Short mmCIF file of all heavy atoms in Angstrom, two decimals:
data_model
loop_
_atom_site.label_atom_id
_atom_site.label_comp_id
_atom_site.label_asym_id
_atom_site.label_seq_id
_atom_site.Cartn_x
_atom_site.Cartn_y
_atom_site.Cartn_z
N ARG A 896 8.12 1.17 3.06
CA ARG A 896 7.43 2.24 2.38
C ARG A 896 6.67 3.22 3.29
O ARG A 896 6.86 4.36 3.09
CB ARG A 896 6.53 1.79 1.19
CG ARG A 896 7.32 0.96 0.24
CD ARG A 896 6.66 1.03 -1.23
NE ARG A 896 7.56 0.15 -1.97
CZ ARG A 896 8.53 0.85 -2.75
NH1 ARG A 896 8.67 2.10 -2.88
NH2 ARG A 896 9.42 -0.07 -3.40
N PRO A 897 6.07 2.72 4.38
CA PRO A 897 5.41 3.68 5.21
C PRO A 897 6.41 4.64 5.98
O PRO A 897 5.84 5.61 6.58
CB PRO A 897 4.76 2.87 6.22
CG PRO A 897 4.56 1.44 5.66
CD PRO A 897 5.72 1.32 4.79
N TYR A 900 7.47 8.91 4.55
CA TYR A 900 6.91 10.24 4.96
C TYR A 900 8.07 10.87 5.69
O TYR A 900 8.02 12.18 5.74
CB TYR A 900 5.67 10.05 5.83
CG TYR A 900 4.66 9.26 5.11
CD1 TYR A 900 4.33 7.90 5.54
CD2 TYR A 900 3.80 9.77 4.13
CE1 TYR A 900 3.26 7.31 5.01
CE2 TYR A 900 2.78 9.02 3.48
CZ TYR A 900 2.57 7.82 3.96
OH TYR A 900 1.57 7.02 3.42
N LEU A 979 3.78 9.45 -4.63
CA LEU A 979 4.78 8.98 -3.57
C LEU A 979 4.74 7.45 -3.58
O LEU A 979 3.78 6.82 -3.22
CB LEU A 979 4.20 9.54 -2.22
CG LEU A 979 4.98 9.26 -1.04
CD1 LEU A 979 6.29 9.92 -1.15
CD2 LEU A 979 4.28 9.72 0.29
N ARG A 980 5.89 7.00 -4.01
CA ARG A 980 6.07 5.57 -4.06
C ARG A 980 7.44 5.14 -3.54
O ARG A 980 7.62 4.18 -2.93
CB ARG A 980 5.94 5.01 -5.50
CG ARG A 980 5.94 3.53 -5.69
CD ARG A 980 4.60 2.93 -5.22
NE ARG A 980 4.82 1.49 -4.99
CZ ARG A 980 3.83 0.83 -4.29
NH1 ARG A 980 2.69 1.31 -3.96
NH2 ARG A 980 4.12 -0.63 -3.99
N ILE A 1002 -4.14 17.26 -2.87
CA ILE A 1002 -3.78 15.80 -3.01
C ILE A 1002 -5.16 15.17 -3.61
O ILE A 1002 -6.11 15.30 -3.07
CB ILE A 1002 -3.55 15.16 -1.61
CG1 ILE A 1002 -2.41 15.84 -0.88
CG2 ILE A 1002 -3.20 13.67 -1.81
CD1 ILE A 1002 -2.18 15.43 0.58
N LEU A 1003 -4.96 14.64 -4.72
CA LEU A 1003 -6.10 13.76 -5.36
C LEU A 1003 -6.13 12.48 -4.84
O LEU A 1003 -5.11 11.68 -4.72
CB LEU A 1003 -5.84 13.82 -6.86
CG LEU A 1003 -5.73 14.99 -7.68
CD1 LEU A 1003 -5.44 14.72 -9.15
CD2 LEU A 1003 -7.01 15.88 -7.53
N GLY A 1004 -7.32 12.10 -4.22
CA GLY A 1004 -7.54 10.75 -3.63
C GLY A 1004 -7.63 10.91 -2.11
O GLY A 1004 -6.97 11.77 -1.57
N GLY A 1005 -8.51 9.98 -1.53
CA GLY A 1005 -8.79 10.14 -0.08
C GLY A 1005 -8.37 8.84 0.63
O GLY A 1005 -9.14 8.60 1.66
N GLY A 1006 -7.49 8.12 0.16
CA GLY A 1006 -7.09 6.86 0.73
C GLY A 1006 -6.02 7.02 1.92
O GLY A 1006 -5.63 8.17 2.25
N LEU A 1007 -5.49 5.92 2.31
CA LEU A 1007 -4.49 5.88 3.38
C LEU A 1007 -3.32 6.73 3.15
O LEU A 1007 -2.82 7.55 3.86
CB LEU A 1007 -4.08 4.44 3.43
CG LEU A 1007 -3.14 3.99 4.64
CD1 LEU A 1007 -4.14 3.78 5.75
CD2 LEU A 1007 -2.47 2.70 4.31
N LEU A 1008 -2.76 6.64 1.80
CA LEU A 1008 -1.55 7.33 1.41
C LEU A 1008 -1.87 8.87 1.52
O LEU A 1008 -1.01 9.63 1.94
CB LEU A 1008 -1.10 6.93 0.10
CG LEU A 1008 0.37 7.04 -0.27
CD1 LEU A 1008 0.73 5.75 -1.22
CD2 LEU A 1008 0.59 8.25 -0.85
N SER A 1009 -2.98 9.32 1.01
CA SER A 1009 -3.36 10.72 0.95
C SER A 1009 -3.41 11.25 2.42
O SER A 1009 -2.91 12.42 2.65
CB SER A 1009 -4.79 11.01 0.49
OG SER A 1009 -4.91 10.25 -0.65
N VAL A 1010 -4.08 10.59 3.27
CA VAL A 1010 -4.23 11.09 4.61
C VAL A 1010 -2.90 11.18 5.34
O VAL A 1010 -2.58 12.17 5.96
CB VAL A 1010 -5.15 10.06 5.46
CG1 VAL A 1010 -5.16 10.54 6.93
CG2 VAL A 1010 -6.52 10.12 4.80
N GLU A 1011 -1.99 10.22 5.18
CA GLU A 1011 -0.58 10.26 5.82
C GLU A 1011 0.15 11.41 5.09
O GLU A 1011 0.83 12.08 5.80
CB GLU A 1011 0.10 8.96 5.60
CG GLU A 1011 -0.54 7.73 6.18
CD GLU A 1011 -0.10 7.57 7.64
OE1 GLU A 1011 0.43 8.44 8.31
OE2 GLU A 1011 -0.37 6.44 8.15
N LEU A 1012 -0.05 11.60 3.82
CA LEU A 1012 0.74 12.64 3.12
C LEU A 1012 0.21 13.95 3.76
O LEU A 1012 1.08 14.90 3.87
CB LEU A 1012 0.58 12.44 1.62
CG LEU A 1012 1.29 13.53 0.74
CD1 LEU A 1012 2.68 13.63 1.00
CD2 LEU A 1012 1.00 13.27 -0.74
N ALA A 1013 -1.04 14.16 3.85
CA ALA A 1013 -1.60 15.43 4.24
C ALA A 1013 -1.08 15.83 5.64
O ALA A 1013 -0.68 16.85 5.77
CB ALA A 1013 -3.22 15.34 4.21
N LYS A 1014 -1.05 14.84 6.48
CA LYS A 1014 -0.55 15.00 7.89
C LYS A 1014 0.88 15.44 7.75
O LYS A 1014 1.30 16.39 8.50
CB LYS A 1014 -0.70 13.71 8.60
CG LYS A 1014 -0.14 13.65 10.01
CD LYS A 1014 -0.95 14.47 10.94
CE LYS A 1014 -0.53 14.55 12.39
NZ LYS A 1014 0.80 15.20 12.60
N THR A 1015 1.57 14.79 7.00
CA THR A 1015 3.15 14.98 6.88
C THR A 1015 3.28 16.46 6.38
O THR A 1015 4.06 17.26 6.84
CB THR A 1015 3.75 14.05 5.87
OG1 THR A 1015 3.46 12.71 6.25
CG2 THR A 1015 5.23 14.24 5.94
N ILE A 1025 -7.47 17.72 0.47
CA ILE A 1025 -7.65 16.37 -0.07
C ILE A 1025 -8.98 16.51 -0.97
O ILE A 1025 -10.00 16.91 -0.54
CB ILE A 1025 -7.83 15.36 1.01
CG1 ILE A 1025 -6.55 15.08 1.64
CG2 ILE A 1025 -8.38 14.04 0.37
CD1 ILE A 1025 -6.51 14.03 2.76
N ASP A 1027 -11.63 14.15 -3.19
CA ASP A 1027 -12.05 12.79 -3.49
C ASP A 1027 -13.41 12.75 -3.91
O ASP A 1027 -14.29 13.48 -3.55
CB ASP A 1027 -11.95 11.95 -2.29
CG ASP A 1027 -11.75 10.44 -2.61
OD1 ASP A 1027 -12.90 9.91 -3.14
OD2 ASP A 1027 -10.77 9.75 -2.44
N SER A 1029 -15.48 10.34 -3.48
CA SER A 1029 -16.39 9.64 -2.56
C SER A 1029 -16.72 10.53 -1.43
O SER A 1029 -16.11 11.61 -1.22
CB SER A 1029 -15.67 8.31 -2.07
OG SER A 1029 -14.64 8.71 -1.20
N TYR A 1031 -16.38 10.22 1.86
CA TYR A 1031 -15.51 10.12 3.06
C TYR A 1031 -14.23 9.54 2.83
O TYR A 1031 -13.96 8.93 1.65
CB TYR A 1031 -16.39 9.34 4.13
CG TYR A 1031 -16.57 7.81 3.76
CD1 TYR A 1031 -15.62 6.79 4.19
CD2 TYR A 1031 -17.77 7.46 3.12
CE1 TYR A 1031 -15.96 5.48 3.79
CE2 TYR A 1031 -17.99 6.13 2.78
CZ TYR A 1031 -17.06 5.19 3.16
OH TYR A 1031 -17.33 3.92 2.79
N LEU A 1032 -13.32 9.66 3.83
CA LEU A 1032 -11.98 9.19 3.59
C LEU A 1032 -11.91 7.68 3.79
O LEU A 1032 -12.74 7.05 4.44
CB LEU A 1032 -11.01 9.79 4.70
CG LEU A 1032 -10.79 11.32 4.63
CD1 LEU A 1032 -10.07 11.80 5.84
CD2 LEU A 1032 -9.87 11.66 3.39
N LEU A 1033 -10.73 7.10 3.38
CA LEU A 1033 -10.39 5.63 3.58
C LEU A 1033 -11.59 4.68 3.22
O LEU A 1033 -11.91 3.92 4.12
CB LEU A 1033 -10.00 5.53 5.10
CG LEU A 1033 -8.90 6.45 5.65
CD1 LEU A 1033 -8.62 6.34 7.16
CD2 LEU A 1033 -7.50 6.27 4.90
N ARG A 1034 -11.92 4.79 2.08
CA ARG A 1034 -13.04 3.79 1.68
C ARG A 1034 -12.77 2.47 1.83
O ARG A 1034 -13.58 1.53 1.93
CB ARG A 1034 -13.49 4.27 0.24
CG ARG A 1034 -14.48 5.35 0.25
CD ARG A 1034 -15.15 5.52 -1.08
NE ARG A 1034 -15.95 4.41 -1.36
CZ ARG A 1034 -16.72 4.42 -2.34
NH1 ARG A 1034 -16.80 5.51 -3.22
NH2 ARG A 1034 -17.57 3.49 -2.68
N LYS A 1035 -11.44 2.07 1.57
CA LYS A 1035 -11.05 0.63 1.67
C LYS A 1035 -11.06 0.11 3.19
O LYS A 1035 -11.13 -1.02 3.37
CB LYS A 1035 -9.67 0.52 1.04
CG LYS A 1035 -9.70 0.54 -0.46
CD LYS A 1035 -8.30 0.07 -0.96
CE LYS A 1035 -8.23 0.23 -2.44
NZ LYS A 1035 -6.85 0.18 -2.94
N GLN A 1036 -10.83 1.07 4.03
CA GLN A 1036 -10.70 0.65 5.50
C GLN A 1036 -11.93 0.91 6.33
O GLN A 1036 -12.17 0.39 7.37
CB GLN A 1036 -9.52 1.37 6.22
CG GLN A 1036 -8.13 0.96 5.73
CD GLN A 1036 -7.76 1.55 4.37
OE1 GLN A 1036 -8.18 2.63 3.99
NE2 GLN A 1036 -6.75 0.94 3.69
N LEU A 1037 -12.95 1.76 5.73
CA LEU A 1037 -13.99 2.10 6.64
C LEU A 1037 -15.33 1.94 5.93
O LEU A 1037 -15.50 2.03 4.76
CB LEU A 1037 -13.95 3.60 7.08
CG LEU A 1037 -12.69 3.99 7.81
CD1 LEU A 1037 -12.78 5.50 8.04
CD2 LEU A 1037 -12.79 3.39 9.26
N LEU A 1045 -15.18 9.51 11.20
CA LEU A 1045 -13.82 9.97 11.11
C LEU A 1045 -13.80 11.42 10.53
O LEU A 1045 -13.06 12.37 11.06
CB LEU A 1045 -13.01 9.15 10.23
CG LEU A 1045 -11.48 9.55 10.05
CD1 LEU A 1045 -10.75 9.18 11.36
CD2 LEU A 1045 -10.87 8.67 8.92
N LEU A 1049 -11.89 14.57 12.46
CA LEU A 1049 -10.85 15.17 11.82
C LEU A 1049 -11.12 16.60 11.54
O LEU A 1049 -10.28 17.46 11.70
CB LEU A 1049 -10.47 14.54 10.41
CG LEU A 1049 -9.78 13.23 10.49
CD1 LEU A 1049 -9.57 12.62 9.10
CD2 LEU A 1049 -8.56 13.15 11.32
N PHE A 1053 -7.70 18.25 12.60
CA PHE A 1053 -6.76 17.93 11.47
C PHE A 1053 -6.62 19.36 10.58
O PHE A 1053 -7.67 19.76 10.09
CB PHE A 1053 -7.23 16.87 10.66
CG PHE A 1053 -6.27 16.16 9.83
CD1 PHE A 1053 -4.94 16.13 10.17
CD2 PHE A 1053 -6.57 15.43 8.65
CE1 PHE A 1053 -3.94 15.47 9.37
CE2 PHE A 1053 -5.68 14.74 7.93
CZ PHE A 1053 -4.43 14.81 8.28
N PHE A 1057 -11.02 19.34 3.32
CA PHE A 1057 -11.52 18.08 2.54
C PHE A 1057 -12.55 18.59 1.55
O PHE A 1057 -13.50 19.37 1.81
CB PHE A 1057 -12.20 17.18 3.46
CG PHE A 1057 -11.23 16.59 4.63
CD1 PHE A 1057 -11.36 17.18 5.83
CD2 PHE A 1057 -10.17 15.76 4.22
CE1 PHE A 1057 -10.40 16.72 6.86
CE2 PHE A 1057 -9.34 15.29 5.09
CZ PHE A 1057 -9.45 15.66 6.43
N ASN A 1094 -0.63 13.35 -6.30
CA ASN A 1094 -1.64 12.30 -6.69
C ASN A 1094 -1.51 11.01 -5.90
O ASN A 1094 -0.46 10.39 -5.83
CB ASN A 1094 -1.39 11.92 -8.20
CG ASN A 1094 -2.14 10.83 -8.72
OD1 ASN A 1094 -3.33 10.66 -8.62
ND2 ASN A 1094 -1.44 9.85 -9.27
N ALA A 1095 -2.53 10.63 -5.19
CA ALA A 1095 -2.55 9.37 -4.47
C ALA A 1095 -3.87 8.70 -4.71
O ALA A 1095 -4.70 8.45 -3.82
CB ALA A 1095 -2.40 9.77 -3.05
N THR A 1096 -4.26 8.41 -6.01
CA THR A 1096 -5.50 7.86 -6.43
C THR A 1096 -5.35 6.39 -6.54
O THR A 1096 -6.32 5.77 -7.07
CB THR A 1096 -5.97 8.48 -7.67
OG1 THR A 1096 -4.96 8.42 -8.68
CG2 THR A 1096 -6.41 9.95 -7.46
N GLY A 1097 -4.27 5.71 -6.06
CA GLY A 1097 -4.27 4.28 -6.04
C GLY A 1097 -3.07 3.76 -6.82
O GLY A 1097 -2.17 4.63 -7.28
N VAL A 1098 -2.98 2.49 -7.11
CA VAL A 1098 -1.84 1.92 -7.79
C VAL A 1098 -2.37 1.00 -9.01
O VAL A 1098 -3.54 0.51 -8.93
CB VAL A 1098 -0.99 1.08 -6.90
CG1 VAL A 1098 -0.10 1.89 -6.01
CG2 VAL A 1098 -1.66 0.03 -6.03
N PHE A 1147 -5.27 -6.96 -2.11
CA PHE A 1147 -4.10 -6.36 -2.98
C PHE A 1147 -3.68 -5.02 -2.46
O PHE A 1147 -4.32 -4.33 -1.85
CB PHE A 1147 -4.72 -6.20 -4.46
CG PHE A 1147 -3.72 -5.50 -5.24
CD1 PHE A 1147 -2.63 -6.10 -5.85
CD2 PHE A 1147 -3.78 -4.16 -5.48
CE1 PHE A 1147 -1.76 -5.38 -6.62
CE2 PHE A 1147 -2.92 -3.30 -6.33
CZ PHE A 1147 -1.84 -4.09 -6.83
N GLY A 1148 -2.32 -4.95 -2.57
CA GLY A 1148 -1.72 -3.59 -2.27
C GLY A 1148 -1.39 -3.27 -0.84
O GLY A 1148 -1.32 -2.14 -0.39
N ILE A 1149 -1.31 -4.40 0.07
CA ILE A 1149 -1.01 -4.00 1.40
C ILE A 1149 0.26 -4.97 1.78
O ILE A 1149 0.51 -5.99 1.25
CB ILE A 1149 -2.18 -4.31 2.34
CG1 ILE A 1149 -2.82 -5.70 2.21
CG2 ILE A 1149 -3.22 -3.27 2.18
CD1 ILE A 1149 -3.67 -6.10 3.30
N ILE A 1150 0.94 -4.46 2.82
CA ILE A 1150 2.24 -5.10 3.19
C ILE A 1150 1.99 -6.49 3.71
O ILE A 1150 2.73 -7.45 3.37
CB ILE A 1150 2.95 -4.19 4.32
CG1 ILE A 1150 3.34 -2.91 3.50
CG2 ILE A 1150 4.12 -4.93 4.90
CD1 ILE A 1150 3.87 -1.78 4.61
N PRO A 1151 0.99 -6.69 4.55
CA PRO A 1151 0.81 -8.08 5.07
C PRO A 1151 0.74 -9.17 3.95
O PRO A 1151 1.22 -10.22 4.18
CB PRO A 1151 -0.52 -8.11 5.88
CG PRO A 1151 -0.67 -6.63 6.37
CD PRO A 1151 -0.05 -5.84 5.18
N TRP A 1177 -5.20 -6.27 7.30
CA TRP A 1177 -5.09 -5.60 8.57
C TRP A 1177 -4.36 -4.26 8.41
O TRP A 1177 -3.30 -4.17 8.05
CB TRP A 1177 -4.33 -6.55 9.56
CG TRP A 1177 -4.45 -6.07 10.89
CD1 TRP A 1177 -5.31 -5.19 11.58
CD2 TRP A 1177 -3.40 -6.35 12.07
NE1 TRP A 1177 -4.97 -5.07 12.91
CE2 TRP A 1177 -3.83 -5.79 13.25
CE3 TRP A 1177 -2.30 -7.15 12.07
CZ2 TRP A 1177 -3.19 -5.82 14.33
CZ3 TRP A 1177 -1.60 -7.28 13.19
CH2 TRP A 1177 -2.12 -6.58 14.34
N THR A 1178 -5.03 -3.10 8.72
CA THR A 1178 -4.44 -1.86 8.53
C THR A 1178 -4.55 -1.15 9.94
O THR A 1178 -5.80 -1.12 10.47
CB THR A 1178 -5.15 -1.05 7.65
OG1 THR A 1178 -5.24 -1.73 6.32
CG2 THR A 1178 -4.43 0.35 7.24
N THR A 1179 -3.60 -0.69 10.50
CA THR A 1179 -3.67 0.22 11.58
C THR A 1179 -2.82 1.47 11.21
O THR A 1179 -1.83 1.52 10.73
CB THR A 1179 -2.93 -0.30 12.84
OG1 THR A 1179 -1.63 -0.75 12.54
CG2 THR A 1179 -3.62 -1.52 13.50
N LEU A 1180 -3.45 2.54 11.79
CA LEU A 1180 -2.76 3.87 11.58
C LEU A 1180 -3.20 4.81 12.66
O LEU A 1180 -4.24 4.63 13.41
CB LEU A 1180 -2.96 4.55 10.19
CG LEU A 1180 -4.27 4.99 9.75
CD1 LEU A 1180 -4.08 6.06 8.62
CD2 LEU A 1180 -5.13 3.88 9.27
N LYS A 1181 -2.45 5.89 12.73
CA LYS A 1181 -2.81 7.06 13.66
C LYS A 1181 -2.82 8.32 12.82
O LYS A 1181 -1.92 8.68 12.30
CB LYS A 1181 -1.67 7.05 14.79
CG LYS A 1181 -2.16 7.71 16.15
CD LYS A 1181 -1.10 7.66 17.07
CE LYS A 1181 -1.71 8.13 18.39
NZ LYS A 1181 -1.77 7.04 19.37
N ILE A 1182 -4.16 8.87 12.76
CA ILE A 1182 -4.19 10.17 12.10
C ILE A 1182 -4.47 11.14 13.02
O ILE A 1182 -5.41 11.10 13.77
CB ILE A 1182 -5.36 10.13 11.04
CG1 ILE A 1182 -5.56 8.82 10.40
CG2 ILE A 1182 -5.13 11.22 9.97
CD1 ILE A 1182 -6.92 8.69 9.71
N ILE A 1185 -5.57 10.05 16.29
CA ILE A 1185 -6.73 9.16 16.36
C ILE A 1185 -6.17 7.76 15.84
O ILE A 1185 -5.82 7.64 14.70
CB ILE A 1185 -7.89 9.69 15.48
CG1 ILE A 1185 -8.24 11.04 15.96
CG2 ILE A 1185 -9.07 8.67 15.62
CD1 ILE A 1185 -9.01 11.80 14.85
N ASP A 1186 -6.32 6.69 16.79
CA ASP A 1186 -6.12 5.39 16.38
C ASP A 1186 -7.16 4.81 15.43
O ASP A 1186 -8.24 4.91 15.75
CB ASP A 1186 -5.88 4.48 17.59
CG ASP A 1186 -4.67 4.78 18.36
OD1 ASP A 1186 -3.56 4.76 17.77
OD2 ASP A 1186 -4.69 5.05 19.56
N LEU A 1187 -6.77 4.14 14.34
CA LEU A 1187 -7.72 3.57 13.55
C LEU A 1187 -7.27 2.20 13.14
O LEU A 1187 -6.10 1.90 12.69
CB LEU A 1187 -7.83 4.49 12.27
CG LEU A 1187 -9.04 4.20 11.29
CD1 LEU A 1187 -9.36 5.48 10.62
CD2 LEU A 1187 -8.61 3.15 10.22
N THR A 1188 -8.10 1.19 13.18
CA THR A 1188 -7.80 -0.13 12.85
C THR A 1188 -8.95 -0.77 11.91
O THR A 1188 -10.19 -0.48 12.25
CB THR A 1188 -7.59 -1.05 14.04
OG1 THR A 1188 -6.62 -0.50 14.87
CG2 THR A 1188 -7.12 -2.46 13.48
N SER A 1189 -8.57 -1.45 10.79
CA SER A 1189 -9.61 -2.05 10.04
C SER A 1189 -9.04 -3.47 9.67
O SER A 1189 -7.91 -3.58 9.28
CB SER A 1189 -9.72 -1.21 8.74
OG SER A 1189 -10.48 -1.93 7.76
#
Side-chain angles (χ1 to χ4, degrees):
R896 295 209 183 261
Y900 306 105
L979 184 61
R980 188 75 199 169
I1002 306 170
L1003 302 178
L1007 193 78
L1008 209 148
S1009 314
V1010 173
E1011 298 270 17
L1012 178 57
K1014 173 75 178 69
T1015 309
I1025 291 180
D1027 200 291
S1029 71
Y1031 62 94
L1032 293 170
L1033 304 176
R1034 276 192 65 175
K1035 284 189 185 162
Q1036 288 80 22
L1037 297 176
L1045 181 70
L1049 289 180
F1053 202 25
F1057 302 103
N1094 169 51
T1096 49
V1098 290
F1147 168 81
I1149 56 169
I1150 295 166
W1177 188 23
T1178 307
T1179 52
L1180 70 156
K1181 201 176 190 108
I1182 326 165
I1185 305 161
D1186 288 307
L1187 188 151
T1188 305
S1189 174

